[in-house]
Amino acid sequence: MSEGDERLHRALLARVVEPGDEICGRWLREHGAGEVVRRLTGGGQQLPGVTDTRWAGLRARAERTDPRGDLALARDSGTRFVCPGDAEWPAQLDDLGDAGPIGLWVRGLPSLRMWALRSVAVVGARACTEYGAHMASTLGAGLAERGWVVVSGGAYGVDGAAHRGALGAGGATVAVLACGVDRPYPRGHTQLITRIAEQGLVIGELPPGDHPTPSRFIQRNRVIAALTRGTVVVEAAYRSGALVTARAAQRLGRSTMGVPGPATSGLSAGVHELLRGEAVLVTDAAEVAEFVGDMGELAPARRGPVLPRDLLDPAAARVLAALPARDAVSRQEVARGAGTTEDDAVARLYELRSLGFVERHGDGWKLTHRAAESGGTGRERG
């Protein structure tokens, strides 16, 4: 059987079998695409695992299918059909086992296999908040600037914001659709998906002209999870397709991350539930890249601002802490409070005076106004 025959058979099956059908996946593994097509189109006995009614339905679909026409229509729209075993096929999709795609319709110039090697999924709520859209867009741009391919579902809300962020940064993005790649869905994203096809890739399991259904959206999510190194969820309620993607990623051993939201937000409740489990909390692209990237791709250390007193050596800091927030005290009292000798206390007080922390009043010492106002430098008397 030639490579062309294999592609033709798989193109037929892509029209006949629903995405994620594990029974058909088992048929392909055990018999090969050619034999499955031969049985469906009238030669040989019924394959196991389905009822007579289901088998009759599959055969009826197969009789109405024109795979050569589908492949020609795809070529006319700048789309190619990529199959397992092709040089462009992303091997990580094989982790789906019998639920893996029969093939993928790919619209766009870059190599899907090469782009998928360094890719991250950013998914979340369709009806997201301004915060969710901002975080998704920022993540998309930040990941693109770091050389990561941003993968999402092309939907309204978080998906669209992630794609736009990557495109705006001049980066790479892939939209995985639950319909034919020649008919952008949702229609309101026609311009966005067309731009993604021009600058990146639009892919899907459904042949040209096919329409989305609720089950196809769910099955689309497993492809997003398997294709990428990790999945980031930005805003998702308890019942959310984004959580389906995240859980699929966890089952496949991929990294799962979540961007936290307000504790009172129902749109972040699903994300928070993920974070209570095995997902990792992330707040920006650097943290995502550190988690899914190669050794050495570390996010910068995070800490609050460095204050002048943070730079004091421990002995001087103890003397400073021994001074009350108000009033002047003797050097003997400072020494007792700091647990040191009077001579050492005096030496440290003059050091602190040169740095602008304390001032002398007769025989006593007190904090300067600047040091007292900086917050919690001295001890309260009471």
Side-chain angles (χ1 to χ4, degrees):
M1 180 181 65
S2 69
E3 180 185 349
D5 289 337
E6 175 75 8
R7 197 174 310 282
L8 194 66
H9 292 151
R10 286 183 174 267
L12 182 147
L13 292 172
R15 179 72 74 178
V16 171
V17 180
E18 284 296 307
D21 189 323
E22 294 188 55
I23 294 174
C24 181
R26 188 172 72 250
W27 293 344
L28 286 171
R29 174 169 50 82
E30 294 177 350
H31 303 284
E35 177 62 13
V36 174
V37 169
R38 187 184 74 83
R39 302 266 192 110
L40 282 171
T41 53
Q45 66 185 42
Q46 176 176 324
L47 288 163
V50 294
T51 64
D52 293 345
T53 302
R54 173 90 191 285
W55 180 254
L58 291 173
R59 288 194 59 186
R61 272 193 178 188
E63 289 171 2
R64 296 193 301 270
T65 298
D66 177 16
R68 286 186 174 84
D70 282 340
L71 291 171
L73 187 61
R75 282 193 298 271
D76 292 344
S77 65
T79 300
R80 57 195 179 276
F81 186 52
V82 179
C83 300
D86 288 349
E88 193 180 352
W89 183 258
Q92 58 267 44
L93 290 177
D94 298 339
D95 292 346
L96 290 168
D98 290 343
I102 293 170
L104 287 173
W105 304 85
V106 180
R107 183 178 164 203
L109 296 177
S111 165
L112 175 60
R113 183 178 72 85
M114 297 305 296
W115 272 30
L117 289 174
R118 190 175 164 85
S119 63
V120 178
V122 180
V123 297
R126 285 177 172 81
C128 67
T129 65
E130 288 186 14
Y131 164 78
H134 169 75
M135 290 303 301
S137 177
T138 302
L139 282 172
L143 287 166
E145 289 167 355
R146 288 166 172 78
W148 287 87
V149 176
V150 177
V151 178
S152 198
Y156 292 130
V158 165
D159 289 16
H163 288 307
R164 290 189 182 93
L167 291 170
T173 190
V174 176
V176 184
L177 304 187
C179 56
V181 298
D182 60 330
R183 50 177 301 171
Y185 184 89
R187 291 184 180 179
H189 271 180
T190 297
Q191 184 175 359
L192 172 63
I193 292 171
T194 300
R195 186 181 171 199
I196 293 171
E198 293 170 350
Q199 189 170 322
L201 290 170
V202 176
I203 70 172
E205 296 179 78
L206 280 301
D210 228 338
H211 62 281
T213 65
S215 65
R216 289 172 174 180
F217 282 116
I218 296 299
Q219 293 301 327
R220 180 271 310 272
N221 294 341
R222 86 196 193 289
V223 174
I224 294 175
L227 192 66
T228 54
R229 286 202 198 178
T231 295
V232 185
V233 183
V234 183
E235 288 195 325
Y238 282 123
R239 290 177 56 86
S240 168
L243 296 187
V244 173
T245 308
R247 290 175 184 132
Q250 289 176 335
R251 287 194 299 271
L252 292 165
R254 307 294 196 263
S255 301
T256 310
M257 296 150 280
V259 176
T264 55
S265 171
L267 275 177
S268 289
V271 180
H272 297 159
E273 189 64 23
L274 280 178
L275 293 174
R276 284 167 56 85
E278 298 178 2
V280 171
L281 186 151
V282 292
T283 60
D284 61 20
E287 292 175 352
V288 175
E290 178 180 34
F291 191 50
V292 299
D294 299 322
M295 188 176 295
E297 293 190 57
L298 300 178
R302 310 300 168 90
R303 57 173 297 171
V306 178
L307 301 177
R309 63 176 177 272
D310 296 332
L311 305 177
L312 296 174
D313 67 61
R318 286 194 296 272
V319 168
L320 183 62
L323 288 160
R326 298 179 296 276
D327 304 330
V329 293
S330 67
R331 63 184 184 182
Q332 293 90 348
E333 188 172 351
V334 172
R336 284 195 301 272
T340 187
T341 64
E342 288 185 26
D343 289 343
D344 181 62
V346 170
R348 300 296 179 182
L349 285 166
Y350 276 99
E351 176 185 334
L352 292 168
R353 181 185 183 185
S354 68
L355 296 172
F357 287 101
V358 303
E359 55 192 16
R360 185 170 179 177
H361 286 261
D363 291 332
W365 294 85
K366 68 179 295 185
L367 296 174
T368 61
H369 179 73
R370 179 172 67 87
E373 291 296 317
S374 66
T377 306
R379 56 187 171 86
E380 291 286 346
R381 279 183 143 182

